[in-house]
Amino acid sequence: MNRTDADGSCPGRVRDREATRQRILASARELFTQEGYAQVSSRRIAAEAGVNVALINRYFGAKRGLLAEVVAEDASFPGVFEGDRDTLPRRVAEHVVHRTLGEGTPLQRALMHSIGDPDLRSVFEERLQSAIIGPLSDYIGGADARTRATLVAGLLIGIGNVRRMGGADSLIEHDPQALTRRLTGIIERCLDEGAAGGGAAERLDE
């Protein structure tokens, strides 16, 4: 018999629910990677996980909720927005060179086949705000932080899109260290607090 804690929860049942939840996530991740997002139904994921399809709605709201969690686990920025602010531009540049211009994870490559799906677009839009622009603007602070963070996000997304459309061969073939140095300078300029508000007055002084 499962013991009930003082707050009314049952540790055994909580563990069972979490195990079931993780099993559903693992099945979704595997199927999305193998077949893409649009081609996989909630019923198929439930069958693969050995659960009732109603549990997907209970734990994740719908298949889109599953997608959001799977993407959040896969498309992370480990260590990029942490540590010394002076080395942030180089960390972002290294992420672009080694991750964005790399082959990407198997899941990322598979999801590109479903890029036109409304769920996928909305999840990516949310990730742009919650995983890049929001955390980066909080990290750098100061005047026009969100504007400066959005410039960096635009660089990341833009290079990623060029890579996916097959137009980044010259970048991929370029010396990684030289490319990192060049990108570091560009990102430094994007993040420069003084440059964000220069505008016409700054140009007149030049």
Side-chain angles (χ1 to χ4, degrees), residues 46-110:
E48 183 76 13
V51 301
N52 190 299
V53 69
L55 290 180
I56 291 179
N57 293 332
R58 180 184 301 175
Y59 294 147
F60 302 97
K63 189 176 77 161
R64 184 195 179 284
L66 263 174
L67 175 68
E69 292 214 25
V70 168
V71 167
E73 290 178 353
D74 190 73
S76 60
F77 295 84
V80 176
F81 303 151
E82 301 173 4
D84 186 356
R85 292 188 184 184
D86 290 340
T87 60
L88 173 65
R90 182 172 183 85
R91 294 199 302 273
V92 175
E94 289 172 344
H95 182 90
V96 171
V97 171
H98 298 295
R99 180 78 180 259
T100 307
L101 288 174
E103 293 185 356
T105 67
L107 175 65
Q108 289 169 350
R109 295 197 298 271

Side-chain angles (χ1 to χ4, degrees), residues 27-41 44-45 63 67 106-115 117 120:
S27 296
R29 187 182 305 109
E30 181 177 354
L31 288 171
F32 292 161
T33 300
Q34 291 175 350
E35 303 178 23
Y37 175 75
Q39 293 75 17
V40 178
S41 67
R44 175 91 181 280
I45 295 168
K63 189 176 77 161
L67 175 68
L107 175 65
Q108 289 169 350
R109 295 197 298 271
L111 290 180
M112 286 305 102
H113 297 299
S114 304
I115 195 63
D117 188 280
L120 194 60

Side-chain angles (χ1 to χ4, degrees), residues 125-179:
E125 288 167 4
E126 288 174 5
R127 287 290 298 169
L128 174 63
Q129 297 296 330
S130 66
I132 304 178
I133 295 176
L136 180 55
S137 62
D138 291 342
Y139 179 82
I140 60 176
D144 299 310
R146 197 164 189 85
T147 298
R148 292 181 284 131
T150 302
L151 283 172
V152 174
L155 179 67
L156 288 168
I157 300 302
I159 291 177
N161 284 338
V162 171
R163 170 73 173 86
R164 284 189 286 274
M165 290 186 289
D169 289 352
S170 62
L171 298 178
I172 295 169
E173 294 165 2
H174 200 71
D175 175 66
Q177 292 186 347
L179 185 58

